[in-house]
């Protein structure tokens, strides 16, 4: 008897299939690249084969013939790997990765229209079939027997490798929750934090109150609830790195350079909103390292380096922030190229460059349209690069700095907030109005009095202050906000802020307490005021 699933149930099945298949494909990219580097890793090959088999089987169940045909052709190639009758070559792996991309495109169309797009993938399937047929007898019987021996020794079987990670006992301890539900929950927690702040502010104005004990308890519960909800939004940063091994492998083939990627701290948790916003900057930095950073194999050998260049990504928590380091052991930033480009673009004169330090010259890479590439390639050279990375990182309240040594390599350091929803901030006052400065940017606070101590000076019309012998450029907040009343108070405060490797001071009238604030987007009427990143309600 034929069974027809109701439309709503079918939608749920399709949504589950799309979610799980996309997750599996992200795993497959990484697993296949690692298998290519170690073709004797038979357990990994079995894992890849079973995931592709799962995709094929589910396509048949849901009635998706185009996807099923492509997955079936893929399964044939992987089956030949498994039998030991097909050598693991870069060409074969590239074709399999191309097929994964084809499946991703079909899934994207399926997600938009809820039906499989028309057409077929005969050209791609034929290339996969040719690969299977041409190489089916290219391995010796001895090599095939070697693979079979490994299978027997390891005890590999279909039972050893389940159809999907979803069948594991660990998967039974978790459930899928719509992101919108988490976003609404986070918004509600934000309102609760605001109310808590208001109550605590009222309590501070009273010497004795019967509400002290219950409000302190409420404060503890709200903080604990906030932490728990934050954990539901946290995702391992490895999710943002999933595409990088495949990217580096493809760039290695395209550029003819030997390179690999090393991922450390992949389990470090990061808010999903921040995670989404840093994926593209990270990918761009890795592409830059591959194209600009690494020398060709002959040059690396001549310099006494290993032939294979290494890009290392390392993530860890430090001081309430997430720190991501992207480093490579390439040629570093070549100062002569940067100087020549800066002169060519009129960014500085020869005299200016003579007086600049190495670090100041290196900062030109963050200028819009700046690129030292000799020619435009499919990888880089268009000058749309590090300036966009820097802008995107700073837009979410982060900071980027770097250290480069010519001939040794470069290390970029990204410092990011744990979340964008609730932000620890320093409350300051200028001309009677209060403003919040994200604590991630604050290095230290200084109180300056006109009667004693080091006074504020002017050099070339610009205000500066000597901080431990170093000239600190100053910005008066009231002047920036165009609310200067012309008065010069006896005592002011300097909020020393860090932007990348640079320090500057913001002069304010008063400094209040630190407070966790819920950042609200700026009203559409005030969007043109780009000095504000948002607004909030204080306690």
């Amino acid at each position: 008897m034929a069974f027809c699933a109701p439309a709503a149930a079918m939608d749920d099945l399709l949504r589950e299939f799309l979610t799980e298949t996309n997750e599996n494909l992200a795993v497959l990219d990484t697993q296949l690249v690692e298998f290519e580097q170690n073709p004797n890793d038979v357990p990994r090959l079995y894992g890849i084969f079973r995931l592709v088999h799962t995709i094929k089987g589910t396509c048949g169940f849901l009635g998706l013939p185009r996807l099923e045909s492509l997955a079936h052709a893929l399964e044939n190639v992987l089956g030949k790997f498994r039998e030991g009758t097909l050598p693991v070559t870069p060409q074969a792996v590239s074709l399999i990765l191309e097929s994964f991309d084809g499946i991703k495109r079909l899934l994207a169309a399926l997600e938009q229209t809820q039906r499989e797009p028309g057409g077929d993938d005969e050209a791609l399937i034929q290339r996969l079939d040719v690969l299977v047929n041409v190489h089916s007898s290219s391995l010796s019987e001895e090599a095939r027997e070697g693979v079979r021996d490994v299978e027997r020794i390891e005890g590999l079987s279909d039972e050893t490798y389940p159809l999907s990670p979803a069948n594991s006992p660990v998967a039974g301890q978790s459930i899928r929750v719509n992101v919108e539900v988490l976003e609404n929950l986070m918004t509600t927690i934000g309102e609760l934090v605001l109310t808590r702040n208001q109550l605590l502010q009222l309590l501070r104005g009273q010497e004795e109150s019967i509400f002290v004990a219950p409000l302190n308890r409420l404060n503890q519960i709200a903080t604990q609830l906030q932490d728990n909800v934050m954990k539901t939004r946290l995702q391992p940063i490895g999710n943002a790195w999933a595409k990088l091994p495949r990217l580096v492998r493809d760039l290695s083939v395209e550029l003819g350079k030997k390179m690999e990627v090393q991922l450390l701290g992949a389990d470090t948790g990061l808010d999903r909103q921040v995670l989404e916003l840093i994926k593209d900057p990270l990918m761009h930095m890795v592409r830059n390292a591959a194209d600009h950073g690494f020398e060709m194999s002959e040059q690396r050998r001549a310099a006494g380096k290993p032939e294979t260049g290494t890009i290392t990504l390392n993530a860890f928590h430090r001081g309430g922030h997430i720190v991501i380091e992207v480093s490579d052991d390439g040629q570093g930033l070549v100062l002569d190229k940067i100087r020549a480009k800066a002169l060519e673009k009129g960014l500085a004169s020869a005299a200016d460059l003579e007086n600049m330090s190495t670090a100041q010259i290196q900062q030109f890479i963050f200028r819009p349209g700046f690129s030292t590439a000799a020619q435009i390639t499919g990888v880089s050279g268009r000058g749309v690069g590090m300036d966009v990375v820097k802008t995107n990182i700073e837009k979410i309240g982060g900071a980027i700095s770097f250290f480069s040594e010519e001939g040794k390599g470069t290390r970029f350091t990204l410092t990011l907030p744990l979340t964008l929803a609730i932000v620890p901030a320093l409350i300051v006052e200028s001309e009677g109005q209060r403003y919040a400065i994200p604590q991630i940017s604050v290095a230290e606070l200084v109180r300056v009095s006109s009667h004693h101590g080091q006074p504020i000076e002017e050099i070339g019309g610009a205000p500066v202050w000597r901080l431990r012998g170093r000239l600190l450029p100053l910005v008066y907040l009231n002047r920036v906000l165009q609310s200067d009343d012309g008065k010069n108070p006896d005592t002011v405060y300097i909020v020393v802020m860090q932007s990348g490797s640079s320090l500057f001071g913001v002069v304010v009238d008063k400094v209040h307490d630190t407070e966790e604030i819920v950042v609200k987007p700026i009203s559409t009427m005030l969007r043109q005021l780009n000095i504000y990143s948002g607004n909030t309600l204080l306690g």
Side-chain angles (χ1 to χ4, degrees), residues 9-19 62 64 110-111 114-115:
M10 187 63 188
D11 286 346
D12 289 340
L13 282 173
L14 190 59
R15 191 180 302 112
E16 188 73 20
F17 166 71
L18 288 168
T19 304
L62 292 175
L64 304 169
L110 186 60
E111 187 172 350
Q114 295 208 0
R115 61 169 60 90

Side-chain angles (χ1 to χ4, degrees), residues 520-529 532-535:
K520 302 285 187 182
I522 286 281
S523 163
T524 49
M525 294 174 64
L526 303 173
R527 287 275 163 83
Q528 73 277 12
L529 301 176
Y532 300 110
S533 60
N535 54 267

Side-chain angles (χ1 to χ4, degrees), residues 355-419:
N355 295 323
M356 285 184 178
S357 66
T358 300
Q360 287 173 323
I361 294 170
Q362 290 174 342
Q363 289 293 324
F364 280 118
I365 66 168
F366 289 124
R367 293 292 187 94
F370 193 92
S371 175
T372 57
Q375 59 185 25
I376 294 174
T377 66
V379 180
S380 62
R382 301 179 192 279
V384 182
M386 292 309 297
D387 64 310
V388 177
V389 169
K390 186 172 188 282
T391 302
N392 288 347
I393 294 298
E394 290 178 348
K395 198 180 289 182
I396 60 174
I400 179 170
S401 61
F402 70 94
F403 172 79
S404 181
E405 189 176 352
E406 204 165 323
K408 298 288 181 67
T410 306
R411 182 180 70 250
F412 285 91
T413 303
L414 311 182
T415 306
L416 304 167
L418 282 171
T419 177

Side-chain angles (χ1 to χ4, degrees), residues 56 59 64-74 122 125:
K56 186 195 80 168
C59 289
L64 304 169
R66 186 174 171 183
L67 266 168
E68 185 183 8
S69 300
L70 186 52
H72 181 69
L74 256 176
E122 277 307 308
I125 291 171

Side-chain angles (χ1 to χ4, degrees), residues 160-436:
T160 311
Y161 295 91
L163 282 176
S164 162
N167 295 335
S168 68
V170 176
Q173 298 172 10
S174 60
I175 58 170
R176 294 187 193 276
V177 179
N178 193 302
V179 170
E180 193 176 339
V181 174
L182 291 180
E183 296 294 347
N184 291 336
L185 187 58
M186 197 68 209
T187 303
T188 308
I189 291 295
E191 298 301 328
L192 177 63
V193 168
L194 281 178
T195 308
R196 176 200 68 181
N197 291 347
Q198 287 175 324
L199 289 170
L200 290 173
Q201 188 70 33
L202 289 171
L203 191 62
R204 287 189 191 112
Q206 300 182 24
E207 292 183 5
E208 292 184 13
S209 172
I210 58 172
F211 298 112
V212 170
L215 277 180
N216 283 335
R217 179 66 182 144
L218 175 65
N219 182 25
Q220 290 174 356
I221 293 170
T223 303
Q224 194 174 354
L225 187 59
Q226 178 187 327
D227 289 343
N228 288 336
V229 173
M230 284 297 304
K231 285 174 186 173
T232 65
R233 288 166 58 97
L234 292 181
Q235 290 187 325
I237 198 169
N239 290 0
W241 293 352
K243 295 180 181 178
L244 295 181
R246 160 81 184 274
L247 174 70
V248 170
R249 185 258 171 204
D250 288 349
L251 288 172
S252 179
V253 173
E254 184 180 343
L255 299 170
K257 299 177 180 179
K258 291 183 179 180
M259 61 184 87
E260 62 183 13
V261 64
Q262 187 177 16
L263 306 176
L264 307 174
D267 294 333
T268 306
L270 189 59
D271 188 299
R272 61 167 295 278
Q273 194 178 357
V274 179
L275 196 70
E276 288 301 317
L277 292 169
I278 65 165
K279 278 183 181 178
D280 287 343
L282 282 178
M283 197 168 291
H284 185 88
M285 291 167 77
V286 168
R287 290 170 73 92
N288 255 11
D291 195 22
H292 296 301
F294 287 132
E295 315 92 325
M296 301 303 287
S297 296
E298 306 79 45
Q299 294 171 290
R300 290 182 66 85
R301 276 200 304 271
K305 294 181 179 180
E307 275 192 27
T308 303
T310 303
I311 301 172
T312 304
L313 279 83
N314 185 19
F316 51 91
H317 291 271
R318 183 170 69 195
H321 307 135
I322 296 285
V323 178
I324 303 172
E325 293 179 344
V326 183
S327 58
D328 66 72
D329 61 349
Q331 61 186 343
L333 294 177
V334 182
L335 285 182
D336 290 341
K337 284 186 179 180
I338 298 175
R339 284 194 191 96
K341 204 69 179 181
L343 278 172
E344 180 191 322
K345 287 189 165 289
L347 298 174
S349 65
D352 291 337
L353 289 169
E354 282 295 322
N355 295 323
M356 285 184 178
S357 66
T358 300
Q360 287 173 323
I361 294 170
Q362 290 174 342
Q363 289 293 324
F364 280 118
I365 66 168
F366 289 124
R367 293 292 187 94
F370 193 92
S371 175
T372 57
Q375 59 185 25
I376 294 174
T377 66
V379 180
S380 62
R382 301 179 192 279
V384 182
M386 292 309 297
D387 64 310
V388 177
V389 169
K390 186 172 188 282
T391 302
N392 288 347
I393 294 298
E394 290 178 348
K395 198 180 289 182
I396 60 174
I400 179 170
S401 61
F402 70 94
F403 172 79
S404 181
E405 189 176 352
E406 204 165 323
K408 298 288 181 67
T410 306
R411 182 180 70 250
F412 285 91
T413 303
L414 311 182
T415 306
L416 304 167
L418 282 171
T419 177
L420 302 183
I422 297 174
V423 179
L426 177 70
I427 310 301
V428 299
E429 187 176 314
S430 177
E431 304 292 352
Q433 296 291 325
R434 293 190 180 202
Y435 303 93

Side-chain angles (χ1 to χ4, degrees), residues 426 437 439 441-446 465 467-468 472-474 493-499 502-507:
L426 177 70
I437 299 176
Q439 267 189 278
S441 305
V442 178
E444 60 182 294
L445 293 172
V446 181
W465 190 73
L467 176 66
R468 293 186 288 276
L472 184 73
L474 299 181
Y493 294 86
I494 298 175
V495 182
V496 182
M497 299 183 65
Q498 184 149 11
S499 176
S502 304
L503 288 176
F504 68 97
V506 177
V507 181

